Amino acid sequence: MKKYNKYYLIISIFIGLLALNRTSQATINDDFQSILSQDELENSIHMFEQLQQPQNNPNKVEYDQVIDLLKRHRIEDARAKISELLKQNPNQPNFHNLQALLGIVTHDKALSKQSFKNSIEIDSNGVFALYGLAKLAFEEGQLKESQDFANRVLKVNNKIINAQFLLADVAYVQSNYSEAEQILLNTLKSATGNVLAEVEVVNNLGRFYQAQNQTDKILQLSQSLSQRYPKNPNVLSLLAQSQILNNQPEEAEKTLRTLLQQKINDVNHRVILAKLISDDIRKDKEVIDLLNEAVAIDPNNFQARIYKTTYLMKRNRNKEALELAKKIDTELPSQVIGKLLQGDIYFAMSQYDKALAAYQLAYTIQPTNKVLFLISDLLNLLKKPNEAISFLKQELDRNPDNTAIHSKLALNYDDLGEKNLAAKHYQFVLSTEPNNALALNNLAWIYFSQNNAKAIILARKAYEIAPNSAAIADTYGYILLKTGHAKEALDIIEKAFSLDSMAYDIQFHLAEALLATNNNPPAVKLLSKIASLKQNIPEKAKAIELLNTLKNDSN
């Protein structure tokens, strides 16, 4: 069967929004990272302060002013201040580093790269600039260049562990997993006795072990640290994270409460604790209290405010959530986060026109495929399929090689019965992604409807790539059935049914396969079940018709 069905459109949108609303919403989380970059901002500023040692620098006041502006997300004010400083003293490398930091926060890689280069032209041993260029090279896939810059950092100062982390990242990307692990373990050994450095190394080892599905090792390292530093808040934070990863929520909750007793003004761990206990309705008041405390401690912490908004949505307190979302949007008018939140809330309130308008505003500021598809699906939901197609075509003109848009256009054309146009876009997807199971499956279904012999070839390939997809197994099995391979078809459609026994089209196809292999009693039972459904779906009418045919044949 086709893996996307117009009948399930509202379900697909709802599931998409559920994904958005899990603790940190998927689209919103991506956007939150790209706009606010809270962790990245803190890490970059921390490293800048560490490496520049501004307390011994006559420019400390200027640094502090810029850093404060960045922390409060006053980006344009920070930009103006940095320009002023560079105009006054263009040969000060650290001012170029501040501009590079601005580029990191705003995700302007070109600005960061040029600023770092300007900095090392003035001071070839400037470790912050060297490390920044190493990181940018890594992100661009220039691994040898990244290694070279990281090694230059270590040549200047072999205690800068971030450069070791980058070397481990390079090894990991090159699939040298044992080398990556060894670099991190050696760094941990050399950091022994420096609790902050140990925590940072274990954090990086944690990411490595998580990627290797070895979360138990993260827990062991964290527990070892907590035994040596039982009251250190950074160690407690690490322990709580590892307990969460190892599905130990009760232990993590205890650890977080201990941490908050020590750091009474901690914002981030209040939010983490609120998320951890948010599924327990009995703790609803405490969740809200924790988030309110976090906002009171740091009114500029948007993470707490965004999560409070999504939590209120989760509890169906949509009016309160909408009020918060509008406040966020008012304070960040040039950003998309408030608009995305409002779109989600309006959707939850079944105010689809307003949801569409909010998503469209967000898309004009920051176009992403996720928001693009939400807009397309909402247009379809509002019975405006031609507008959805026009919108997708307009975006495809701007990004002709975007396979995701090609796939979405194909689905929309398919729903309108424009099989040839749908096939054209699936063919484009497969020209660049030959193992795209969805495109193979859906194109096979189109070819099958057109009696094209290629259908079974594509369906088989899709099934080989994704054998545990109920929809893909059903497509392959049904094409086998209709091309005279009933016994093989039955096995595969039975597998599809085991993967998704609630799908009515799979139930009907299984009944047909059972009849084709002379297994009439179970087939009749399935058909009778479908025929007795209250909702009017295509399979119901087909089941009634087939049951009548069987009845007439028996007479």
Side-chain angles (χ1 to χ4, degrees), residues 30-43:
D30 290 346
D31 180 63
F32 181 56
Q33 289 298 325
S34 64
I35 297 166
L36 305 179
S37 306
Q38 190 73 26
D39 291 338
E40 184 175 354
L41 173 60
E42 290 178 0
N43 291 340

Side-chain angles (χ1 to χ4, degrees), residues 264-289:
I264 58 174
N265 289 324
D266 187 295
V267 171
N268 291 335
H269 292 95
R270 272 181 170 78
V271 177
I272 293 171
L273 179 57
K275 291 177 182 180
L276 187 64
I277 65 175
S278 64
D279 287 333
D280 188 344
I281 188 63
R282 297 170 301 177
K283 296 180 179 178
D284 177 73
K285 184 179 182 303
E286 184 181 5
V287 171
I288 295 297
D289 287 345

Side-chain angles (χ1 to χ4, degrees), residues 10 16 19 91 152 160 164 166 189 195 223 276 285 301 350 367 379 385 387 397 408 413 479 539 541-542:
I10 192 165
N91 293 319
R152 282 179 66 181
I160 297 176
Q164 298 285 10
L166 204 46
K189 185 177 179 180
V195 61
Q223 289 172 334
L276 187 64
K285 184 179 182 303
N301 188 299
S350 300
L379 286 168
E387 284 188 37
D397 287 341
K408 195 67 174 177
Y413 277 128
I479 292 174
E539 287 77 21
K542 292 177 184 178

Side-chain angles (χ1 to χ4, degrees), residues 8 496-507 529 533 537:
Y8 296 108
F497 180 76
S498 72
L499 292 166
D500 187 359
S501 61
M502 299 302 293
Y504 298 124
D505 48 358
I506 295 178
Q507 291 179 23
K529 179 183 174 183
L533 291 170
I537 58 173

Side-chain angles (χ1 to χ4, degrees), residues 448 456 475-490 493 508-517:
F448 172 63
I456 197 165
T475 296
Y476 181 43
Y478 196 66
I479 292 174
L480 282 170
L481 177 65
K482 293 301 180 180
T483 52
H485 305 280
K487 190 175 183 302
E488 185 181 357
L490 178 59
I493 297 175
F508 184 76
H509 293 165
L510 178 56
E512 286 189 277
L514 288 165
L515 289 172
T517 52

Side-chain angles (χ1 to χ4, degrees), residues 3-22:
K3 204 175 179 184
Y4 179 95
N5 190 301
K6 193 172 183 179
Y7 176 74
Y8 296 108
L9 175 60
I10 192 165
I11 297 174
S12 73
I13 297 177
F14 181 66
I15 290 172
L17 287 173
L18 280 181
L20 288 177
N21 290 324
R22 286 193 195 105

